[in-house]
Every structure is written in structure tokens, then in C-alpha cells.
Amino acid sequence: MSDYRLHYAPDNASLVIRLALLQLGQPFETCLVDRATQGHKAPEYLKMNPNGLIPVLETPDGPIFETAAILLWLGDRHGALVPPPQSPQRASFLKWLFFASNTLHAGLRMNFYPQTYIGPDPDLQRALLRTTRENLVTHFGKLDALLDQGPTWFGASNPSALDFYVACFLRWAALYPAGDTKWFDLGRFANLQRLATGLESLDIVDRARTAEGLGQHPFSAPHPPNPPEGTVL
């Protein structure tokens, strides 16, 4: 029996955790959260994550939610994906991991669901999207510049938790919301494009691609997914 059970929906933030578990070589079970029926708002799910967001990872220490928290917990538990607590690289890694979580991921959520943050007024939504997308381009530029510095924990030969997190951001920025992604052009960020292409050569990415129907180039040239189960919303 596996120590881990991943509650996931196709092409959601649970994809980051799937990639991390695969990279760690840890066996895990999956449990589909059906977003079409609001499975992430069901009482049993809310007992694990009262925020009603995906993912949740069930572990021997109990269920964990928040993508960055799961990544950090897994990395520390298994001695990979993140610099260890004693490493001089730990502080730099942590600040960028939480930049990814608190700034970039939060900005992408505003881009996907503006009505949640500003209400139903279309003019207000357009204003929020304009500012949010300008900020997101700036944020991606900072990550692209960071790769130029050659940190051992981002864009190196052995992928880190941050690599997988950012690669998924690149995918989602290019795909969602469907039909309204012209603001994002991966070609503007040569280093991030190399990161995305490099990860696509990994066997674990191929396994995730099959599990969630992600297509041939899930990060560098993504197409809408065709998952074998569940829906993408």
C-alpha cells in the first residue's frame, strides 16, 4: 500500500504534485476530484481542505493542502527536489518557491477566475485582467532572468520542485482561459522556454502526459488536454 493518495483533477495544480511524486520515485494512489460536479466543494473533501481547492495529498502525517507546502514537505521528507535545511542554497530557493506560490500562482488564478476577485461587472473584470497580465509578464521575466544566474535549484540537470511548478505555470498561461491567451508568449522568455523543452524529455513527464492527456509538448507548446477521466474547468 502506498503512503500517498493524491486528490487531483486533470491539468490542475495537482499536476505539479504528480510530477514531484514521480520524480521522487514514490508510489501513490490517485483519487479524481470531479470538478464538473463540484467535487472539491463536497463535505468530505472540505474536511481535508476547508478552502475547497485542489490538490490535497494524503500522507502518513495527515492530509496536506497548498501546492508549495506539499512540495516542501515532500522534498524534506525524501531528501530531494529542494535544498536541505542545512544547505546555504535553502534561503534562496525558499524565497523563489514562495514567490512562485504567493505571487505568480495567485496572479494566474486572478487571470483564470476574475469574477471571483472583482465580481460580475465585465468592465471591472477587463481592468483586473489588464493589470494582472502586465504583472504576470513581469513576473515571468524575473524567473527568466533568474535562470541566467544558473542556480543549482532551478533549471539545473536535476529538476527541482520549482522547475515543475514553473513549467506548469507556462502551460496554464498558454491555455487558460481558453481563447484569451494572446497576452502570453513563451518565445519572449528564452530561458523559460529551454526549461520547458528540457523537462519534456523526462520519462516522468511522459507518464504524467499519459495520465492526464496533456499532449506531446505539455509545457513548451501545449494543447488543451484530453484526460482519460475527469474534466478540466
Side-chain angles (χ1 to χ4, degrees):
M1 180 177 289
S2 166
D3 283 344
Y4 300 121
R5 191 177 197 219
L6 177 62
H7 294 260
Y8 91 103
D11 213 9
N12 278 235
S14 48
L15 173 59
V16 184
I17 308 305
R18 181 190 292 274
L19 290 165
L21 288 165
L22 289 171
Q23 178 69 5
L24 290 168
Q26 293 297 312
F28 63 98
E29 303 170 13
T30 57
C31 179
L32 177 68
V33 182
D34 189 355
R35 295 194 60 179
T37 60
Q38 292 286 293
H40 53 308
K41 306 299 182 183
E44 289 304 310
Y45 190 82
L46 292 174
K47 289 179 182 178
M48 295 184 293
N49 184 353
N51 301 309
L53 299 174
I54 301 167
V56 165
L57 183 68
E58 292 189 69
T59 80
D61 292 348
I64 309 176
F65 57 85
E66 293 295 333
T67 303
I70 299 171
L71 290 172
L72 188 56
W73 186 90
L74 284 171
D76 285 348
R77 181 178 176 89
H78 296 288
L81 292 181
V82 306
Q86 303 84 4
S87 169
Q89 303 298 317
R90 176 81 165 195
S92 292
F93 171 82
L94 287 179
K95 69 186 180 185
W96 284 103
L97 176 66
F98 283 91
F99 168 79
S101 175
N102 296 349
T103 302
L104 234 167
H105 199 169
L108 285 169
R109 282 188 56 81
M110 289 184 188
N111 183 52
F112 303 153
Y113 312 113
Q115 69 281 0
T116 300
Y117 296 90
I118 203 68
D121 187 300
D123 291 332
L124 292 178
Q125 288 185 25
R126 280 191 289 270
L128 176 64
L129 287 174
R130 183 171 56 253
T131 300
T132 297
R133 290 169 178 179
E134 289 171 356
N135 289 337
L136 286 169
V137 170
T138 299
H139 301 329
F140 280 124
K142 291 175 181 176
L143 289 170
D144 196 70
L146 176 62
L147 285 167
D148 258 337
Q149 300 172 27
T152 59
W153 38 264
F154 186 38
S157 57
N158 192 24
S160 74
L162 187 61
D163 288 72
F164 296 128
Y165 207 178
V166 171
C168 290
F169 292 160
L170 300 176
R171 171 179 176 81
W172 300 330
L175 288 179
Y176 306 115
D180 189 20
T181 59
K182 291 182 179 179
W183 66 272
F184 178 74
D185 177 10
L186 181 57
R188 296 178 59 179
F189 309 107
N191 294 321
L192 289 174
Q193 190 165 40
R194 280 192 291 271
L195 172 75
T197 302
L199 290 175
E200 289 170 347
S201 67
L202 299 178
D203 174 68
I204 64 158
V205 172
D206 190 55
R207 292 166 63 186
R209 189 163 47 208
T210 300
E212 301 198 17
L214 302 181
Q216 188 63 32
H217 302 286
F219 307 130
S220 66
H223 292 280
N226 182 25
E229 64 173 359
T231 57
V232 180
L233 294 174

